[in-house]
Structures are given as C-alpha cells and as structure tokens.
C-alpha cells in the first residue's frame, strides 16, 4: 500500500514549536490555521513543509529548520561586514556560535551601534533591506545643540540633501539639556548615513547614534556586543512581513546610517 504523500499538518505545527500536537489539532478545527493562504480545518490534511506556507492566526510559521535568525546589538568600532579588507573589527566574532553561514541585513556604519539582523535567509534579507518595501527603522540620536520643535517639524516635512529631499516618517524630541539633545527618528530610507546627514542638514550634527528598532524587532535590553536568536514570536513577525511583500526586481540596497 502506497504511503500518503506529505506530513500531517498538526505534526508539522508541533515540530515547529507552535504548541503540542493536541493543541495544534484544536487550532486546525477552530479554523485558525491557513495553508498557502487558505483556511484548513481537516485534521487529516497533509502538507509538504519544504514547499507549503503555513500561518496560525495570521502569523507565519517557520517550517524550514535550516534557516537561522539572529539579533545583534552591534557595538561601535565594528564594521558591518563578515570580512573587512582593511583588517578592522568585523561581524565574524559574533557568528561563531552558529554553524550556518550568516550574513548581515543592511549595514550600520562603524560608529553607529544597535540592532543588526544576521541570517542565512536570503529572501527575508531582501525584503528587510530593500527600501521599496518600506520597512521602518527607529534611531535614537544624541546631537549637538538644543533641538527646537520647529526643527522636529522640519525633519518630518523634509530636508534637502545633495542626493535629493528626504523626510522622516516620524521625529520626536526625547530630551534637551545643556548643549545636547536626544532625538528619535523613524525612517524607511535606504540611503547611506541618512540619519547623520539629515541631522547635520538641520544644524545638529550627530554625536552618538543607535538603532533601537528594525521592522517589528526591538533591541530591548540586549547588551552591546551580544547576539541572540530571535524568539518564535519575533521570527513569525519577520516571516509574516516577508510574505506580505511582493519582491521587486534587483538586489537590496545596503544602507549605512
């Protein structure tokens, strides 16, 4: 007798860490599980984990165990490269704990710290790095001078740079004391060193810059120089974002901010 093709859906979900097999069966019966965008309620449903896409309550489930997703709090003084031709400190020291060959998604310049994603998932990296997808990043900039409300408004209206005008999606003054200020900027631009150039253009050069958020990911309390794997919830959020995007032609823009 020929074995049926594929793997039972509840087994796939349980193996992916969604819940126990019994709970996964309940999810299926309740209509909370979709396969390739269609709700599945039959417990006998079999799928191909290497081909089919599954989500639970609208959140994508990682079925490929070979894919790795890591969050790094990149310290200053480290270049965003797996091998620097000039011999400067690079990202290799942070990837030694994983057997896969990981790559950084986008870039932060050497003097910028904060959230950097490392992965071996090329499709996901493309969506996150390409500015046409509009994935937002949030930065905290310590800048020279006391930033006024008028300057904050100017950042969201747009400033003129040598490569064209640019506007922050959001800008907020967090603190202003003495001769420095803290400004939070939200951007989806992929231009090189865009935060530093924007702040310089409004008369407040950056002293220190950190990226706190990338898409749905938050740096949280991860110390500088430390890396960790994304949680199941974080991976689901990233994969959901990637599946919602239609991949445009061309290679992702590598930004430095």
């Amino acid at each position: 007798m020929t074995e049926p093709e594929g793997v039972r859906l509840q087994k796939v979900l349980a193996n992916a860490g969604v819940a126990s097999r019994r709970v996964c069966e309940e999810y299926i019966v309740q209509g909370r599980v979709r396969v390739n965008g269609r709700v599945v309620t039959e417990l006998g449903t079999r799928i191909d984990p290497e081909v089919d896409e599954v989500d639970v309550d609208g959140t994508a489930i990682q079925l490929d165990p070979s894919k790795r997703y890591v969050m790094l709090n990149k310290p200053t003084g480290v270049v965003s490269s797996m091998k620097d031709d000039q011999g400067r400190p690079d990202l290799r020291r942070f990837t030694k704990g994983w057997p896969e060959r990981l790559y950084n998604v986008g870039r932060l310049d050497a003097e910028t710290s904060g959230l950097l994603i490392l992965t071996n998932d090329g499709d996901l990296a493309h969506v996150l790095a390409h500015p046409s997808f509009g994935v937002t990043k949030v930065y905290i900039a310590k800048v020279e001078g006391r930033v006024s409300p008028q300057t904050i408004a100017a950042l969201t209206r747009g400033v003129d740079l040598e490569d064209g005008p640019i506007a922050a999606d959001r800008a907020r003054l967090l603190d202003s004391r003495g001769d420095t200020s803290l400004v939070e900027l939200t951007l989806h631009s992929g231009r090189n060193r865009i935060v530093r150039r924007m702040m310089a253009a409004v008369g407040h050069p950056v002293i220190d810059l950190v990226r706190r958020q990338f898409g749905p990911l938050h740096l949280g309390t991860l110390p500088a120089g430390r890396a960790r794997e994304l949680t199941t919830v974080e991976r689901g959020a990233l994969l959901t974002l990637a599946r919602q995007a239609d991949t445009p032609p061309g290679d992702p823009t590598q930004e430095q901010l």
Side-chain angles (χ1 to χ4, degrees), residues 219-231:
L219 192 60
T221 59
L222 185 66
R226 296 289 296 274
R228 65 166 176 84
E229 287 196 57
L230 298 188
T231 65

Side-chain angles (χ1 to χ4, degrees), residues 106-108 128-139 159 161 163-170 185-198 211 214 253-257:
R107 299 174 184 267
L108 293 173
L128 293 179
H130 202 292
S132 66
F133 292 114
V135 179
T136 58
K137 301 104 175 175
V138 178
Y139 303 85
V159 295
L161 302 178
D163 53 354
I166 182 71
D169 296 329
R170 290 184 295 278
L185 285 177
T186 302
L187 297 159
H188 65 269
S189 170
R191 298 195 213 171
N192 288 344
R193 301 174 65 85
I194 191 64
V195 173
R196 295 180 183 276
R197 292 194 289 137
M198 287 181 72
R211 180 159 67 191
F214 195 131
T253 298
Q254 297 291 295
E255 81 274 17
Q256 287 196 31
L257 298 126

Side-chain angles (χ1 to χ4, degrees), residues 42-246:
E42 294 293 330
L43 291 179
T45 301
R46 291 176 178 267
I47 69 167
D48 183 348
E50 295 184 3
V51 176
D52 295 319
E53 294 183 344
V54 177
D55 67 75
V56 177
D57 294 334
T59 298
I61 305 301
Q62 180 190 354
L63 302 183
D64 185 351
S66 69
K67 294 295 190 292
R68 188 79 66 176
Y69 308 93
V70 173
M71 177 191 297
L72 168 68
N73 186 348
K74 187 190 83 67
T76 57
V78 174
V79 296
S80 295
S81 172
M82 289 301 168
K83 185 176 181 180
D84 184 61
D85 294 335
Q86 301 178 37
R88 294 172 295 180
D90 55 39
L91 299 174
R92 285 176 294 178
R93 68 181 69 183
F94 306 109
T95 62
K96 293 178 180 178
W98 289 278
E100 298 85 3
R101 189 174 183 181
L102 303 178
Y103 298 91
N104 49 297
V105 178
R107 299 174 184 267
L108 293 173
D109 69 43
E111 298 312 310
T112 298
S113 63
L115 201 164
L116 196 62
I117 300 170
L118 308 173
T119 186
N120 60 346
D121 187 338
D123 292 337
L124 178 75
H126 181 80
V127 171
L128 293 179
H130 202 292
S132 66
F133 292 114
V135 179
T136 58
K137 301 104 175 175
V138 178
Y139 303 85
I140 305 295
K142 181 180 180 181
V143 301
E144 296 179 8
R146 296 178 69 88
V147 175
S148 67
Q150 291 77 14
T151 298
I152 294 296
L155 290 167
T156 55
R157 282 198 311 269
V159 295
D160 291 321
L161 302 178
E162 64 273 13
D163 53 354
I166 182 71
D169 296 329
R170 290 184 295 278
R172 187 160 62 107
L173 179 62
L174 300 180
D175 191 23
S176 186
R177 61 183 64 183
D179 56 358
T180 63
S181 300
L182 282 181
V183 177
E184 179 186 88
L185 285 177
T186 302
L187 297 159
H188 65 269
S189 170
R191 298 195 213 171
N192 288 344
R193 301 174 65 85
I194 191 64
V195 173
R196 295 180 183 276
R197 292 194 289 137
M198 287 181 72
M199 295 311 303
V202 295
H204 298 280
V206 169
I207 300 169
D208 184 54
L209 182 62
V210 57
R211 180 159 67 191
R212 297 291 309 175
Q213 184 177 341
F214 195 131
L217 302 182
H218 297 260
L219 192 60
T221 59
L222 185 66
R226 296 289 296 274
R228 65 166 176 84
E229 287 196 57
L230 298 188
T231 65
T232 300
V233 172
E234 290 170 333
R235 291 197 306 271
L238 282 187
L239 292 171
T240 301
L241 180 66
R243 291 180 188 178
Q244 291 171 345
D246 292 323

